[in-house]
């Protein structure tokens, strides 16, 4: 065999673009990956492009004494236009739509091996416009999706790759006599999964990513007001596992990020703007000894956020910002006789603010800051006879503020400073015969 099944299937044409998932599946197609490894589970058997692959000699589009091949391709396209005139309400509504679908299936079956590739693609666009006496509304939506599945099955080995991709965009705009509103949303997602299973070993990799953005803008000409909000998010995840008769190893990782910006203003020269961001990251590593029943796991999670707000008007202004970070670390081990776990958690928060007011009756100025941290430790150990645990936490919070005001009759100022601590400790020892518990 000088051509592998997947290399032959690509020669059908339409699949070449559908299978071009490129760098996003590099985990499953690199030189040291599960599907193309010189030292991996399927050593010297590269199902994507092998000179000595298991399906050597199979040809697409025909059959011989040892193999059968089959290829199917379907495509559909539709266009729709509809116009409705409502004389009673003096309005006209127009709907336009178009969609296209494509399905490609290819299969090869040999005496001891078989392979199959499926690719489905959908795309569509829609626009709806309504014109009334004093308002016009237009809404447009577009989307596309693609699913690609490839599978290989040999006498002792099997492999499978799945890739799903979705993308969509939407815009809605309304124009009235003295105001305009526009909203736009866009998003995309992709899921990729690859698996290899041998006679005694198996491995699996999964990856997902989601991204989205939204903007909403409003303008009112009558009161000369303006408001806009923009937000975006990005989420990704990766999980991988490998196992044989004796051991199993797994990795899970995720990240989630969000950001938003908003601004508004009015004819009285007042304005307000806000900015915020939040990010979460997590990682879990695990191992298991199947023969001994031992397992261990380590995980970490971190969450960070930041938000800032600014307000301004003729006689008032304010600035405020807050930041926070939360961290968690944990480890666990488990064997036939003992179980133990340990956790560390730390939370940090800080804030700063300042505001002032200047009116005909009074002048007022104030500023302050606050900060705090809280740390907790936990430990647990147990076996068939004894159990012990230790939990402790320490928290420290501080704040300071200064205020000054003045009016026609008097003036004054004050300064405040605060500090607080929180300390806790709990210890527990327990056995079949006696127990001990201490808490502070």
């Amino acid at each position: 065999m000088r051509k592998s099944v997947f290399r032959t299937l690509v020669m059908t044409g339409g699949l070449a673009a559908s299978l071009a998932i490129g760098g996003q599946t590099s985990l499953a197609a690199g030189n040291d990956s599960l599907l193309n490894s010189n030292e991996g589970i399927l050593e010297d058997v590269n199902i994507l492009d092998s000179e000595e692959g298991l399906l050597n000699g199979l040809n697409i589009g025909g059959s011989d004494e040892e193999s059968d091949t089959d290829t199917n391709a379907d495509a559909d396209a539709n266009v729709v236009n509809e116009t409705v005139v409502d004389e009673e309400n003096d309005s006209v509504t127009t709907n336009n739509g178009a969609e296209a679908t494509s399905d490609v299936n290819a299969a090869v079956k040999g005496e001891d091996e078989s392979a199959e590739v499926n690719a489905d693609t959908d795309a569509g666009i829609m626009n709806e416009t309504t014109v009334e006496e004093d308002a016009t509304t237009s809404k447009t939506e577009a989307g596309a999706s693609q699913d690609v599945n490839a599978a290989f099955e040999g006498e002792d080995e099997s492999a499978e790759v799945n890739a799903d991709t979705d993308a969509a965009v939407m815009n809605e705009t309304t124009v009235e006599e003295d105001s305009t509103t526009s909203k736009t949303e866009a998003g995309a997602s992709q899921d990729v999964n690859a698996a290899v299973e041998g006679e005694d070993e198996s491995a699996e990799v999964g990856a997902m990513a989601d991204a989205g953005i939204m903007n909403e803008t409003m303008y009112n000409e009558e009161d000369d007001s303006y408001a806009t909000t923009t937000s975006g998010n990005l989420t990704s995840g990766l999980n991988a596992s490998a196992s044989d008769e004796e051991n199993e190893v797994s990795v899970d990782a995720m990240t989630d990020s969000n950001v938003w910006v908003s601004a508004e203003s009015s004819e009285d020269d007042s304005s307000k703007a806000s900015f915020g961001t939040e990010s979460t990251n997590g990682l879990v590593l695990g191992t298991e000894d199947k023969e001994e029943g031992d397992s261990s796991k380590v995980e970490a999670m971190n969450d960070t956020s930041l938000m800032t707000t600014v307000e301004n008007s003729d006689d008032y202004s304010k600035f405020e910002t807050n930041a926070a970070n939360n961290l968690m670390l944990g480890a666990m081990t488990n064997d036939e006789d003992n179980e133990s776990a340990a956790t560390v958690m730390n939370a940090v928060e800080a804030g700063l603010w300042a505001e002032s007011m200047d009116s005909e009756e009074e002048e007022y100025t104030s500023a302050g800051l606050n900060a705090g941290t809280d740390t907790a430790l936990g430990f647990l150990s147990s076996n068939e006879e004894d159990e012990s645990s230790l939990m402790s936490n320490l928290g420290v919070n501080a704040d300071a503020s200064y205020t000054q005001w003045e009016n026609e009759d008097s003036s004054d100022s004050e300064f405040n400073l605060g500090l607080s601590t929180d300390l806790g400790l709990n210890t527990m020892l327990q056995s079949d015969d006696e127990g001990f518990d201490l808490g502070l």
Side-chain angles (χ1 to χ4, degrees):
M1 281 167 66
R2 294 292 178 249
K3 300 291 182 181
S4 71
V5 172
F6 287 92
R7 188 173 182 182
T8 305
L9 295 178
V10 170
M11 298 300 291
T12 59
L15 295 178
S18 300
L19 293 176
I21 51 181
Q24 304 208 29
T25 55
S26 60
L27 288 174
N31 288 332
D32 297 323
S33 71
L34 302 173
L35 301 184
N36 186 12
S37 173
N38 291 328
E39 299 177 356
I41 296 171
L42 301 182
E43 182 177 355
D44 296 328
V45 181
N46 180 359
I47 65 172
L48 297 180
D49 188 9
S50 174
E51 294 295 329
E52 298 178 357
L54 296 178
L55 300 183
N56 189 12
L58 299 183
N59 299 310
I60 192 77
S63 63
D64 53 32
E65 294 180 356
E66 298 180 354
S67 65
D68 295 321
T69 62
D70 187 19
T71 303
N72 299 304
D74 298 324
D76 295 309
N78 297 296
V79 177
V80 178
N81 175 268
E82 181 182 8
T83 301
V84 178
V85 179
D86 190 340
E87 296 182 356
E88 182 178 353
N89 296 317
D90 194 18
S91 66
V92 178
T93 301
T94 302
N95 290 291
N96 295 296
E99 63 177 353
T101 62
S102 175
D103 298 332
V104 178
N105 304 282
V108 177
K109 186 175 182 181
E111 184 176 358
D112 299 320
E113 307 89 7
S114 64
E116 185 176 356
V117 176
N118 303 302
D120 299 330
T121 303
D122 296 303
I125 186 170
M126 183 275 290
N127 173 265
E128 181 177 354
T129 303
T130 301
V131 180
E132 298 177 335
E133 185 176 359
D134 54 3
T136 300
T137 301
S138 178
K139 183 177 181 180
T140 302
E141 296 181 0
S145 65
Q146 185 178 66
D147 299 334
V148 178
N149 304 282
F152 163 82
E153 184 173 353
E155 187 174 359
D156 298 323
E157 305 90 8
S158 64
E160 184 175 357
V161 177
N162 302 302
D164 300 331
T165 304
D166 295 295
V169 62
M170 186 275 290
N171 174 265
E172 183 174 359
T173 302
T174 301
V175 180
E176 298 179 334
E177 186 175 359
D178 53 9
S179 67
T180 302
T181 301
S182 178
K183 184 177 182 180
T184 302
E185 296 181 359
S189 65
Q190 185 173 63
D191 297 333
V192 178
N193 301 280
V196 176
E197 185 172 353
E199 186 175 359
D200 300 321
E201 306 90 1
S202 64
E204 184 175 354
V205 176
M208 59 81 65
D210 294 302
I213 188 170
M214 185 275 290
N215 173 266
E216 183 173 3
T217 302
M218 294 179 289
Y219 174 72
N220 192 309
E221 185 178 0
E222 184 177 359
D223 58 7
D224 194 23
S225 64
Y226 170 84
T228 180
T229 300
T230 302
S231 63
N233 72 282
L234 175 63
T235 302
S236 63
L238 173 67
N239 58 81
S241 64
S243 65
D244 56 23
E245 292 182 340
E246 299 179 354
N247 300 284
E248 181 176 355
V249 180
S250 63
V251 178
D252 292 297
M254 61 82 65
T255 179
D256 186 8
S257 300
N258 297 276
V259 61
W260 66 92
V261 179
S262 65
E264 58 184 75
S265 63
S266 59
E267 61 181 351
D268 59 359
D269 293 330
S270 64
S271 63
K272 181 179 180 180
S274 299
F275 167 80
T277 179
E278 184 176 6
S279 177
T280 301
N281 300 282
L283 177 66
V284 179
L285 305 175
T287 62
E288 181 181 359
D289 187 330
K290 296 180 179 180
E291 290 187 349
E292 301 293 335
D294 301 340
S295 65
S296 61
K297 183 174 70 172
V298 177
E299 66 178 306
M301 184 73 69
N302 189 74
D303 182 44
T304 303
S305 62
L306 172 67
M307 184 171 181
T308 301
T309 302
V310 179
E311 297 181 49
N312 282 297
S313 63
D314 288 340
D315 57 2
Y316 178 80
S317 63
K318 181 179 180 180
F319 170 82
E320 183 177 8
T321 183
N322 294 280
N325 186 81
N326 296 287
L327 174 65
M328 189 277 290
L329 301 174
M332 181 189 71
T333 61
N334 187 16
D335 57 31
E336 187 176 354
D337 300 321
N338 299 282
E339 179 180 351
S340 61
T343 59
V344 178
M345 291 181 288
N346 177 257
V348 179
E349 295 181 356
L352 174 67
W353 55 270
E355 62 178 341
S356 65
M357 182 181 66
D358 186 2
S359 63
E360 296 179 358
E361 295 83 12
E362 185 180 27
E363 293 183 7
Y364 168 85
T365 301
S366 180
L369 59 87
N370 63 278
T373 180
D374 190 7
T375 302
L377 303 175
F379 175 77
L380 172 67
S381 178
S382 65
N383 54 38
E384 294 182 355
E385 298 179 355
D386 304 315
E387 180 178 346
S388 61
S389 66
L390 172 66
M391 299 185 66
S392 65
N393 70 281
L394 174 62
V396 179
N397 294 278
D399 62 87
S401 64
Y402 174 79
T403 304
Q404 178 180 335
W405 68 91
E406 180 179 356
N407 54 36
E408 295 179 354
D409 301 327
S410 63
S411 64
D412 200 356
S413 64
E414 65 178 29
F415 176 76
N416 294 307
L417 179 64
L419 178 65
S420 64
T421 60
D422 182 17
L423 175 62
L425 177 65
N426 184 276
T427 302
M428 186 269 291
L429 298 174
Q430 183 175 354
S431 65
D432 292 342
D433 299 329
E434 57 184 13
F436 173 78
D437 194 351
L438 173 64
L440 295 176

